[in-house]
Amino acid sequence: MPRTTPPRPVDITDVAPRLAPLARTTTRLHPRPGSPSVPDSSIGGPLLWPTSEPWPYCDGPHERGFAVDMSLVDLRLERLRAAVRGRNRTPQEQKTLGQLESRAYPLTSPPIAPHHGSVAMLPLAQLYARDVPDLPAPAGADLLQVLWCPFDHPPDTFMPRTALVWRSSAAVTGVRTAPPEPAAVQYPGYLPEPCLIEPEQVTEYPHLLELGKDLQELLGRWSTWEAAGAAPDRSYAPAPEEFYQDELSVAPGWKVGGWAPWGPTDPVPRFCPACGTGMDPLLTVATFEWDSRDQTWVPHEDLTAVSSQRPGCPDPRMPTAVQIASGYRQQLYICPADPEHPHTELMQ
């Protein structure tokens, strides 16, 4: 089902014309649980990976910290049991449950040992340029594959380490059908639930923190909005600039391109480690597709699911089951001069 973001409640360029040149498009990916296959753009789905090419491994270090590792079998079994609880199982679900239960660890099994050496990386995203108009693919490539190591890597990062692969899909002749997997993930939120995507291109404007002080002050005056005939709900009266931030600037959720979703920290310039060029947002890996402050960004097609969510049912805001820290986002940046230069990562 295509996803459609409702029109923004106000055209911000009527309120602050100086923002018009700062408009950028972003592709909201709108991942939703499904059964992606190799030819599909997906989150957590199978990759179009050549049989002749080695699978990526992470050399660590892999420190467990306070985490309780879970095997992939146990975690998948737990999720499937939760999904079918309270309803009849389909024949395929029953078959899959039986397969997982036969491989699951008994409750009395010892905890998984600390991880030493290399760890096979997990598929995070596969994006075909035909589906994602904001994908900055280098010449000759039409496919981006993102993998990650499902462990934190302190002291540098407390989130999964990622690898990017750009390739020409037409050049892949033999496809690897059973790639290696890690024995465990450090946190359940580091195993993406397989999702198909329903990409949609929308327009964004910079996060409030990226605007100059004069624009911030302009948007912070209620009279500015009244003069444009665009005064927001009175709940924003004490801080109308928050109306801009919540509903008119940066789209929430998984997305490609656009503006960076700052917030926990002030904007931090990102520079290419290879050539020093200022880097652009590539992919935002989001814990939530929206939150209480992002309600006007909820696609029309998901409004019923939001209003009818029942306790114990999957959270429609978290279709991928990915969780970054306590609910943050993992941002990947690339060099606009050469997308194949090393990328950088940031948690926000």
Side-chain angles (χ1 to χ4, degrees), residues 295-333:
Q295 292 297 304
T296 65
W297 292 97
V298 179
H300 287 298
E301 296 79 6
D302 291 320
L303 290 173
T304 300
V306 173
S307 61
S308 61
Q309 184 184 359
R310 293 173 296 171
C313 293
D315 189 338
R317 302 176 304 159
M318 302 179 68
T320 66
V322 165
Q323 180 170 333
I324 305 298
S326 58
Y328 292 109
R329 296 164 293 245
Q330 183 168 343
Q331 300 168 235
L332 276 59
Y333 289 79

Side-chain angles (χ1 to χ4, degrees), residues 36-237:
S37 57
V38 165
D40 295 319
S41 291
S42 65
I43 304 300
L47 303 184
L48 182 75
W49 197 271
T51 54
S52 59
E53 188 173 319
W55 189 261
Y57 280 74
C58 176
D59 293 330
H62 302 110
E63 300 181 16
R64 297 176 64 192
F66 297 103
V68 178
D69 298 352
M70 290 188 68
S71 77
L72 268 65
V73 171
D74 289 345
L75 182 51
R76 287 168 175 154
L77 179 57
E78 179 182 283
R79 287 182 180 176
L80 183 53
R81 283 173 173 166
V84 302
R85 188 175 296 126
R87 65 169 174 82
N88 294 328
R89 302 167 181 176
T90 67
Q92 182 58 50
E93 288 170 340
Q94 187 60 47
K95 178 181 178 181
T96 304
L97 276 169
Q99 293 172 338
L100 291 174
E101 287 170 345
S102 68
R103 296 161 52 203
Y105 291 98
L107 294 177
T108 56
S109 64
I112 298 170
H115 295 271
H116 301 289
S118 298
V119 170
M121 302 186 85
L122 284 171
L124 176 65
Q126 175 166 269
L127 304 174
Y128 287 88
R130 65 170 187 261
D131 299 323
V132 184
D134 286 289
L135 194 68
D142 67 339
L143 177 62
L144 171 64
Q145 295 169 325
V146 186
L147 303 94
W148 71 6
C149 172
F151 287 84
D152 291 340
H153 296 81
D156 297 327
T157 62
F158 289 86
M159 57 185 176
R161 180 178 293 164
T162 57
L164 305 185
V165 178
W166 296 97
R167 68 170 79 252
S168 165
S169 59
V172 180
T173 53
V175 179
R176 186 187 289 265
T177 57
E181 290 188 328
V185 296
Q186 186 173 7
Y187 300 104
Y190 289 174
L191 175 64
E193 189 69 13
C195 288
L196 292 163
I197 66 170
E198 294 291 347
E200 176 197 20
Q201 196 173 42
V202 300
T203 300
E204 292 187 324
Y205 295 90
H207 190 285
L208 184 69
L209 295 174
E210 293 209 65
L211 300 180
K213 188 172 181 61
D214 57 339
L215 268 174
Q216 291 185 26
E217 292 176 350
L218 179 72
L219 296 173
R221 294 195 290 267
W222 188 260
S223 59
T224 300
W225 301 86
E226 287 185 317
D233 183 275
R234 293 297 303 184
S235 63
Y236 284 105

Side-chain angles (χ1 to χ4, degrees), residues 9-19 218-219 221-232 240 243 248:
V10 168
D11 183 346
I12 188 58
T13 61
D14 290 340
V15 180
R18 282 184 289 165
L19 283 169
L218 179 72
L219 296 173
R221 294 195 290 267
W222 188 260
S223 59
T224 300
W225 301 86
E226 287 185 317
F243 175 63
L248 305 177

